[in-house]
PDB file of all heavy atoms in Angstrom:
ATOM      1  N   PHE A 269     -42.250 141.815 214.241  1.00 95.00           N
ATOM      2  CA  PHE A 269     -43.473 142.408 213.700  1.00 95.00           C
ATOM      3  C   PHE A 269     -44.723 141.951 214.451  1.00 95.00           C
ATOM      4  O   PHE A 269     -45.772 142.594 214.381  1.00 95.00           O
ATOM      5  CB  PHE A 269     -43.625 142.149 212.197  1.00 95.00           C
ATOM      6  CG  PHE A 269     -43.903 140.716 211.817  1.00 95.00           C
ATOM      7  CD1 PHE A 269     -45.177 140.171 211.924  1.00 95.00           C
ATOM      8  CD2 PHE A 269     -42.882 139.920 211.333  1.00 95.00           C
ATOM      9  CE1 PHE A 269     -45.434 138.859 211.568  1.00 95.00           C
ATOM     10  CE2 PHE A 269     -43.125 138.612 210.968  1.00 95.00           C
ATOM     11  CZ  PHE A 269     -44.406 138.072 211.094  1.00 95.00           C
ATOM     12  N   LEU A 270     -44.619 140.866 215.203  1.00 96.00           N
ATOM     13  CA  LEU A 270     -45.773 140.384 215.970  1.00 96.00           C
ATOM     14  C   LEU A 270     -46.170 141.342 217.092  1.00 96.00           C
ATOM     15  O   LEU A 270     -47.313 141.342 217.535  1.00 96.00           O
ATOM     16  CB  LEU A 270     -45.486 138.996 216.549  1.00 96.00           C
ATOM     17  CG  LEU A 270     -45.446 137.874 215.531  1.00 96.00           C
ATOM     18  CD1 LEU A 270     -44.997 136.575 216.191  1.00 96.00           C
ATOM     19  CD2 LEU A 270     -46.793 137.698 214.858  1.00 96.00           C
ATOM     20  N   ARG A 271     -45.238 142.177 217.539  1.00 97.00           N
ATOM     21  CA  ARG A 271     -45.559 143.146 218.606  1.00 97.00           C
ATOM     22  C   ARG A 271     -46.719 144.037 218.180  1.00 97.00           C
ATOM     23  O   ARG A 271     -47.668 144.249 218.924  1.00 97.00           O
ATOM     24  CB  ARG A 271     -44.342 143.988 218.968  1.00 97.00           C
ATOM     25  CG  ARG A 271     -44.637 145.053 220.025  1.00 97.00           C
ATOM     26  CD  ARG A 271     -43.394 145.806 220.443  1.00 97.00           C
ATOM     27  NE  ARG A 271     -42.432 144.984 221.143  1.00 97.00           N
ATOM     28  CZ  ARG A 271     -42.546 144.590 222.409  1.00 97.00           C
ATOM     29  NH1 ARG A 271     -43.578 144.944 223.113  1.00 97.00           N
ATOM     30  NH2 ARG A 271     -41.609 143.856 222.958  1.00 97.00           N
ATOM     31  N   ALA A 272     -46.686 144.572 216.965  1.00 96.00           N
ATOM     32  CA  ALA A 272     -47.747 145.456 216.470  1.00 96.00           C
ATOM     33  C   ALA A 272     -49.054 144.684 216.275  1.00 96.00           C
ATOM     34  O   ALA A 272     -50.127 145.168 216.655  1.00 96.00           O
ATOM     35  CB  ALA A 272     -47.318 146.114 215.161  1.00 96.00           C
ATOM     36  N   ILE A 273     -48.957 143.505 215.701  1.00 94.00           N
ATOM     37  CA  ILE A 273     -50.166 142.701 215.486  1.00 94.00           C
ATOM     38  C   ILE A 273     -50.825 142.357 216.811  1.00 94.00           C
ATOM     39  O   ILE A 273     -52.043 142.489 216.974  1.00 94.00           O
ATOM     40  CB  ILE A 273     -49.827 141.416 214.700  1.00 94.00           C
ATOM     41  CG1 ILE A 273     -49.403 141.783 213.275  1.00 94.00           C
ATOM     42  CG2 ILE A 273     -50.997 140.438 214.699  1.00 94.00           C
ATOM     43  CD1 ILE A 273     -48.823 140.612 212.490  1.00 94.00           C
ATOM     44  N   MET A 274     -50.023 141.955 217.784  1.00 95.00           N
ATOM     45  CA  MET A 274     -50.582 141.557 219.070  1.00 95.00           C
ATOM     46  C   MET A 274     -51.109 142.753 219.870  1.00 95.00           C
ATOM     47  O   MET A 274     -52.021 142.601 220.670  1.00 95.00           O
ATOM     48  CB  MET A 274     -49.570 140.741 219.876  1.00 95.00           C
ATOM     49  CG  MET A 274     -49.246 139.389 219.247  1.00 95.00           C
ATOM     50  SD  MET A 274     -50.701 138.414 218.758  1.00 95.00           S
ATOM     51  CE  MET A 274     -51.479 138.143 220.339  1.00 95.00           C
ATOM     52  N   ALA A 275     -50.589 143.938 219.627  1.00 96.00           N
ATOM     53  CA  ALA A 275     -51.148 145.132 220.271  1.00 96.00           C
ATOM     54  C   ALA A 275     -52.593 145.316 219.834  1.00 96.00           C
ATOM     55  O   ALA A 275     -53.473 145.636 220.644  1.00 96.00           O
ATOM     56  CB  ALA A 275     -50.308 146.359 219.935  1.00 96.00           C
ATOM     57  N   VAL A 276     -52.859 145.090 218.558  1.00 93.00           N
ATOM     58  CA  VAL A 276     -54.235 145.180 218.055  1.00 93.00           C
ATOM     59  C   VAL A 276     -55.074 144.051 218.651  1.00 93.00           C
ATOM     60  O   VAL A 276     -56.162 144.284 219.187  1.00 93.00           O
ATOM     61  CB  VAL A 276     -54.262 145.116 216.504  1.00 93.00           C
ATOM     62  CG1 VAL A 276     -55.683 144.994 215.986  1.00 93.00           C
ATOM     63  CG2 VAL A 276     -53.569 146.330 215.921  1.00 93.00           C
ATOM     64  N   VAL A 277     -54.573 142.831 218.582  1.00 91.00           N
ATOM     65  CA  VAL A 277     -55.320 141.677 219.090  1.00 91.00           C
ATOM     66  C   VAL A 277     -55.668 141.854 220.568  1.00 91.00           C
ATOM     67  O   VAL A 277     -56.789 141.573 220.988  1.00 91.00           O
ATOM     68  CB  VAL A 277     -54.519 140.367 218.870  1.00 91.00           C
ATOM     69  CG1 VAL A 277     -55.151 139.187 219.587  1.00 91.00           C
ATOM     70  CG2 VAL A 277     -54.387 140.072 217.380  1.00 91.00           C
ATOM     71  N   ARG A 278     -54.732 142.350 221.363  1.00 93.00           N
ATOM     72  CA  ARG A 278     -54.964 142.536 222.804  1.00 93.00           C
ATOM     73  C   ARG A 278     -55.970 143.643 223.110  1.00 93.00           C
ATOM     74  O   ARG A 278     -56.666 143.581 224.107  1.00 93.00           O
ATOM     75  CB  ARG A 278     -53.650 142.886 223.509  1.00 93.00           C
ATOM     76  CG  ARG A 278     -52.774 141.734 223.843  1.00 93.00           C
ATOM     77  CD  ARG A 278     -51.646 142.133 224.810  1.00 93.00           C
ATOM     78  NE  ARG A 278     -51.019 143.403 224.493  1.00 93.00           N
ATOM     79  CZ  ARG A 278     -50.003 143.549 223.643  1.00 93.00           C
ATOM     80  NH1 ARG A 278     -49.520 142.512 223.008  1.00 93.00           N
ATOM     81  NH2 ARG A 278     -49.481 144.740 223.421  1.00 93.00           N
ATOM     82  N   ASN A 279     -56.020 144.672 222.272  1.00 94.00           N
ATOM     83  CA  ASN A 279     -56.777 145.874 222.627  1.00 94.00           C
ATOM     84  C   ASN A 279     -58.138 146.021 221.959  1.00 94.00           C
ATOM     85  O   ASN A 279     -58.874 146.942 222.301  1.00 94.00           O
ATOM     86  CB  ASN A 279     -55.919 147.111 222.362  1.00 94.00           C
ATOM     87  CG  ASN A 279     -54.778 147.191 223.352  1.00 94.00           C
ATOM     88  OD1 ASN A 279     -55.007 147.320 224.549  1.00 94.00           O
ATOM     89  ND2 ASN A 279     -53.558 147.054 222.878  1.00 94.00           N
ATOM     90  N   VAL A 280     -58.481 145.146 221.055  1.00 92.00           N
ATOM     91  CA  VAL A 280     -59.816 145.197 220.461  1.00 92.00           C
ATOM     92  C   VAL A 280     -60.829 144.779 221.526  1.00 92.00           C
ATOM     93  O   VAL A 280     -60.633 143.759 222.199  1.00 92.00           O
ATOM     94  CB  VAL A 280     -59.897 144.258 219.236  1.00 92.00           C
ATOM     95  CG1 VAL A 280     -61.312 144.096 218.748  1.00 92.00           C
ATOM     96  CG2 VAL A 280     -59.006 144.769 218.129  1.00 92.00           C
ATOM     97  N   PRO A 281     -61.901 145.540 221.720  1.00 93.00           N
ATOM     98  CA  PRO A 281     -62.913 145.157 222.712  1.00 93.00           C
ATOM     99  C   PRO A 281     -63.463 143.750 222.428  1.00 93.00           C
ATOM    100  O   PRO A 281     -63.623 143.350 221.261  1.00 93.00           O
ATOM    101  CB  PRO A 281     -64.007 146.217 222.547  1.00 93.00           C
ATOM    102  CG  PRO A 281     -63.314 147.377 221.919  1.00 93.00           C
ATOM    103  CD  PRO A 281     -62.240 146.796 221.050  1.00 93.00           C
ATOM    104  N   GLU A 282     -63.728 143.000 223.470  1.00 90.00           N
ATOM    105  CA  GLU A 282     -64.138 141.604 223.310  1.00 90.00           C
ATOM    106  C   GLU A 282     -65.344 141.401 222.395  1.00 90.00           C
ATOM    107  O   GLU A 282     -65.319 140.489 221.561  1.00 90.00           O
ATOM    108  CB  GLU A 282     -64.380 140.951 224.672  1.00 90.00           C
ATOM    109  CG  GLU A 282     -64.550 139.461 224.566  1.00 90.00           C
ATOM    110  CD  GLU A 282     -64.417 138.743 225.884  1.00 90.00           C
ATOM    111  OE1 GLU A 282     -64.106 139.387 226.898  1.00 90.00           O
ATOM    112  OE2 GLU A 282     -64.636 137.530 225.886  1.00 90.00           O
ATOM    113  N   PRO A 283     -66.420 142.218 222.492  1.00 90.00           N
ATOM    114  CA  PRO A 283     -67.544 141.995 221.572  1.00 90.00           C
ATOM    115  C   PRO A 283     -67.151 142.132 220.103  1.00 90.00           C
ATOM    116  O   PRO A 283     -67.661 141.409 219.252  1.00 90.00           O
ATOM    117  CB  PRO A 283     -68.560 143.073 221.969  1.00 90.00           C
ATOM    118  CG  PRO A 283     -68.212 143.426 223.374  1.00 90.00           C
ATOM    119  CD  PRO A 283     -66.722 143.260 223.476  1.00 90.00           C
ATOM    120  N   VAL A 284     -66.242 143.043 219.806  1.00 90.00           N
ATOM    121  CA  VAL A 284     -65.763 143.212 218.432  1.00 90.00           C
ATOM    122  C   VAL A 284     -64.845 142.047 218.066  1.00 90.00           C
ATOM    123  O   VAL A 284     -64.965 141.454 216.997  1.00 90.00           O
ATOM    124  CB  VAL A 284     -65.019 144.565 218.268  1.00 90.00           C
ATOM    125  CG1 VAL A 284     -64.414 144.694 216.882  1.00 90.00           C
ATOM    126  CG2 VAL A 284     -65.959 145.726 218.573  1.00 90.00           C
ATOM    127  N   PHE A 285     -63.956 141.700 218.979  1.00 87.00           N
ATOM    128  CA  PHE A 285     -63.004 140.610 218.767  1.00 87.00           C
ATOM    129  C   PHE A 285     -63.731 139.312 218.405  1.00 87.00           C
ATOM    130  O   PHE A 285     -63.315 138.588 217.501  1.00 87.00           O
ATOM    131  CB  PHE A 285     -62.180 140.425 220.043  1.00 87.00           C
ATOM    132  CG  PHE A 285     -61.126 139.374 219.964  1.00 87.00           C
ATOM    133  CD1 PHE A 285     -59.913 139.628 219.344  1.00 87.00           C
ATOM    134  CD2 PHE A 285     -61.326 138.132 220.536  1.00 87.00           C
ATOM    135  CE1 PHE A 285     -58.935 138.662 219.286  1.00 87.00           C
ATOM    136  CE2 PHE A 285     -60.345 137.161 220.480  1.00 87.00           C
ATOM    137  CZ  PHE A 285     -59.143 137.431 219.853  1.00 87.00           C
ATOM    138  N   GLN A 286     -64.816 139.029 219.093  1.00 85.00           N
ATOM    139  CA  GLN A 286     -65.547 137.789 218.857  1.00 85.00           C
ATOM    140  C   GLN A 286     -66.180 137.733 217.471  1.00 85.00           C
ATOM    141  O   GLN A 286     -66.403 136.651 216.930  1.00 85.00           O
ATOM    142  CB  GLN A 286     -66.612 137.596 219.927  1.00 85.00           C
ATOM    143  CG  GLN A 286     -65.995 137.283 221.272  1.00 85.00           C
ATOM    144  CD  GLN A 286     -67.014 137.225 222.393  1.00 85.00           C
ATOM    145  OE1 GLN A 286     -68.127 137.727 222.259  1.00 85.00           O
ATOM    146  NE2 GLN A 286     -66.634 136.617 223.493  1.00 85.00           N
TER     147      GLN A 286
END
Side-chain angles (χ1 to χ4, degrees):
F269 69 79
L270 289 174
R271 177 176 294 284
I273 293 170
M274 294 311 297
V276 171
V277 170
R278 278 193 317 273
N279 290 297
V280 170
E282 191 164 356
V284 175
F285 182 80
Q286 290 174 342

